[in-house]
Amino acid sequence: MVTLEELLEFLPRLDCGQCGLTCAEFGAFLLSRELSPGDCPVLHEPDYAGFIEALEEVLAAAVPPPAAGMQIDPDKCNGCGICVAMCEYHLGNCPEARLGQGPRPGAKVVFQVINGVVVVTHQESCTRLIQAAEKCSKCEKHCPTGAVHLT
């Protein structure tokens, strides 16, 4: 499974907004297959020659995300991180989350706040998905802006 961090290695990380998103948000949309590498205007510049092809190769080798899952509406998300703190997976697997802190850099977590917006980074770890625990919807229930949607 390809992670957001792996995709960010092939993105400009300028957060220029030419595509309307930050690079981390763009990477999350690549993972969900809602966008393709060619949708980033900066990657068409000569300084980034070969990046589109590299991203397409990485994504082609990746297993598509599960059909059921979660979506974060970046227009509604205010980056408060309540969903990160409430996540059952985080509470069970991330010592910082149990202390009410954000995950350490590089920690395998379901989602995290990147550039002020929550981004799904390891949806495959979601307790709701791996245990078919339909009852788990804490992230969605506690989101004050309604940005988290579980399917």
Side-chain angles (χ1 to χ4, degrees), residues 38-51:
D39 293 327
C40 173
V42 176
L43 292 181
H44 292 279
E45 295 176 6
D47 289 346
Y48 297 97
F51 281 50

Side-chain angles (χ1 to χ4, degrees), residues 17 19-22 25-26 28-29 34 71-80 114-119 143-149:
C19 66
L21 304 164
T22 66
E25 293 167 340
F26 185 83
F29 281 110
E34 294 178 55
Q71 288 94 36
I72 309 293
D73 183 340
D75 293 329
K76 291 182 179 179
C77 181
N78 64 7
C80 69
I114 299 177
N115 296 327
V117 176
V118 172
V119 177
C143 179
T145 63
V148 180
H149 298 284

Side-chain angles (χ1 to χ4, degrees), residues 30-31 35-36 39 42 47 49 52 61 76 81 87 104-105 117 124:
L30 288 177
L31 282 174
L35 292 175
S36 66
D39 293 327
V42 176
D47 289 346
I52 291 175
K76 291 182 179 179
C87 176
R104 64 192 174 286
V117 176
E124 74 279 4

